[in-house]
Amino acid sequence: MENTNFNMPLLGDDFPKLDVATTHGQMNIPEDLKGSWFVLFSHPADFTPVCTTEFVAFQKRKDQFDKIGCKLVGMSVDQVFSHIKWVQWIKEELGVTIEFPVVAADEKVAKKLGMLHEVKGSNTVRAVFIVDPQGKVRLIMYYPQEIGRNIDEVVRSVKALQISDNQGAIPAGWPNNELIGNNVILPPATDVEAAEQRIRDYDNYDWWFCHKPLEED
């Protein structure tokens, strides 16, 4: 494969504008999804076993995404009629109705999203983009073709980003961190007085490692 320019979005960038055909009709992404969190996840091809397991796993957790105000968008570098047939097959053979749209991507879209990695040949990698209501890219995950994604981690990541925007940083393994459990971490103190005050006001390991209980909705 010839060397190509890579224009993959970076964290904090605007999600690239895409005018694409989907199983739910024509979509302008992210414009049609503005005001909502969304997860766009890509697949190398339709009718592949690992991709099929992921589609089912995303659909079975759709109510969890709905609960946190996050929409799902699938994507594969196949034509839309192939997507429609694949979705029908999943319903008929596996008893799962895919309710989210599936984008019919092409090489141009794949390059724009950085999904063509030269050493992997012409197949797209498994990418996950978590995008906030302002259309900003907040998290990116890449998986090789041979490993299916952990969809529970995608759910957790969206929840964690939403909480971090309002309450504080999220520890490893949240909500079951080994040190502070379900708590969130306070942002760094900016002066000596604030550092000393935090020792008095919050649970902590030191002034630079203060934490507080999660505020539930």
Side-chain angles (χ1 to χ4, degrees):
M1 186 175 73
E2 293 182 2
N3 192 27
T4 57
N5 292 326
F6 238 35
N7 295 312
M8 64 176 288
L10 302 178
L11 298 183
D13 284 353
D14 291 328
F15 189 83
K17 293 182 179 180
L18 307 175
D19 186 9
V20 289
T22 83
T23 53
H24 290 192
Q26 201 71 17
M27 286 185 69
N28 294 301
I29 302 174
E31 190 62 33
D32 289 346
L33 301 167
K34 279 287 183 71
S36 174
W37 289 81
F38 71 89
V39 172
L40 185 146
F41 51 98
S42 67
H43 297 268
D46 296 347
F47 296 100
T48 55
V50 176
C51 297
T52 302
T53 64
E54 290 183 323
F55 256 52
V56 170
F58 269 112
Q59 178 59 45
K60 285 184 175 293
R61 290 159 181 78
K62 185 176 179 296
D63 60 338
Q64 297 180 44
F65 287 103
D66 289 342
K67 187 175 180 179
I68 57 177
C70 182
K71 297 179 180 179
L72 296 174
V73 181
M75 175 180 286
S76 179
V77 184
D78 271 311
Q79 297 183 49
V80 72
F81 71 82
S82 176
H83 294 348
I84 293 170
K85 184 60 181 177
W86 186 27
V87 166
Q88 289 176 340
W89 184 93
I90 292 172
K91 181 178 181 178
E92 293 167 358
E93 300 298 328
L94 305 179
V96 176
T97 300
I98 302 301
E99 299 175 317
F100 49 81
V102 186
V103 173
D106 55 20
E107 186 174 352
K108 181 179 178 181
V109 170
K111 288 179 180 178
K112 187 177 284 191
L113 295 178
M115 299 189 316
L116 289 172
H117 294 191
E118 188 170 357
V119 297
K120 301 301 290 183
S122 60
N123 289 333
T124 59
V125 295
R126 302 179 194 281
V128 178
F129 299 92
I130 299 178
V131 184
D132 68 19
Q134 289 71 49
K136 300 289 185 182
V137 176
R138 299 295 299 277
L139 188 149
I140 302 171
M141 306 177 194
Y142 283 117
Y143 287 73
Q145 297 157 17
E146 59 270 22
I147 299 176
R149 285 165 277 212
N150 184 328
I151 314 307
D152 291 327
E153 171 60 15
V154 181
V155 176
R156 188 193 80 96
S157 295
V158 176
K159 290 181 179 178
L161 285 166
Q162 292 175 342
I163 290 169
S164 69
D165 282 351
N166 299 307
Q167 299 193 42
I170 305 300
W174 177 87
N176 301 302
N177 178 260
E178 292 87 346
L179 296 176
I180 63 174
N182 193 36
N183 282 8
V184 296
I185 300 169
L186 273 67
T190 56
D191 55 60
V192 171
E193 182 179 353
E196 293 175 349
Q197 186 67 38
R198 287 189 175 191
I199 293 291
R200 296 189 290 269
D201 292 346
Y202 296 100
D203 292 332
N204 66 85
Y205 286 99
D206 206 329
W207 65 265
W208 53 269
F209 192 165
C210 297
H211 54 96
K212 64 179 181 178
L214 176 68
E215 298 173 14
E216 301 286 354
D217 293 335

